[in-house]
Amino acid sequence: MAPRRRRISTAIALVSLALAAPLAAGCSAVDKALDCVQTADAIADSVTELKQAVDNAANDPTQAGEALDSIEKNLDEIGGKTDNADVDKAVDDLGKAVTNVREAIDSGDETPDISPVTDAAGELTKVCTP
């Protein structure tokens, strides 16, 4: 009788595991999507800070660099958390736009064109929205 109970217990455990695995994977996908949305939201805030920093560059030129640093930090976070090709492309595009703005500032441009950063951040927000 004991071997039969053990087999039944083992079978129940295996069935439970088989049923739980897709649920865990589903939660993982949801968690990734939420991470994407939250990071995109943080990037949007950083883009707003960048716009304000560029508008006030004469008062404090370091603010733009700090906003760009914040965007890059958030891009690093989101880049490692997704396997979505659209998100990866949006992250790459935003990274390139940030690099271009940083290079413009480093070259002495006090009012660089940040519209590519804004556009790329908007695209990232769009692809992160479930």
Side-chain angles (χ1 to χ4, degrees):
M1 200 74 148
R4 182 174 178 198
R5 282 189 189 153
R6 229 176 300 169
R7 281 186 293 208
I8 292 172
S9 295
T10 302
I12 290 172
L14 290 174
V15 168
S16 297
L17 183 60
L19 292 174
L23 294 175
C27 288
S28 177
V30 170
D31 288 342
K32 283 184 178 183
L34 287 174
D35 287 342
C36 186
V37 170
Q38 290 169 345
T39 305
D41 188 44
I43 289 171
D45 290 343
S46 297
V47 170
T48 300
E49 291 170 9
L50 175 61
K51 183 179 178 337
Q52 292 170 348
V54 168
D55 289 345
N56 297 320
N59 297 334
D60 186 359
T62 63
Q63 285 182 351
E66 291 170 6
L68 291 169
D69 290 344
S70 178
I71 293 169
E72 287 176 332
K73 179 182 175 242
N74 286 316
L75 285 175
D76 288 343
E77 286 180 23
I78 197 171
K81 292 182 180 179
T82 183
D83 55 2
N84 181 302
D86 292 334
V87 172
D88 288 342
K89 182 178 180 336
V91 167
D92 288 345
D93 290 348
L94 184 51
K96 289 174 188 170
V98 166
T99 298
N100 290 340
V101 170
R102 187 179 299 279
E103 289 173 355
I105 291 171
D106 290 346
S107 296
D109 187 349
E110 292 183 6
T111 57
D113 179 14
I114 64 166
S115 62
V117 173
T118 305
D119 294 345
E123 183 62 24
L124 179 61
T125 300
K126 187 171 94 177
V127 297
C128 280
T129 304

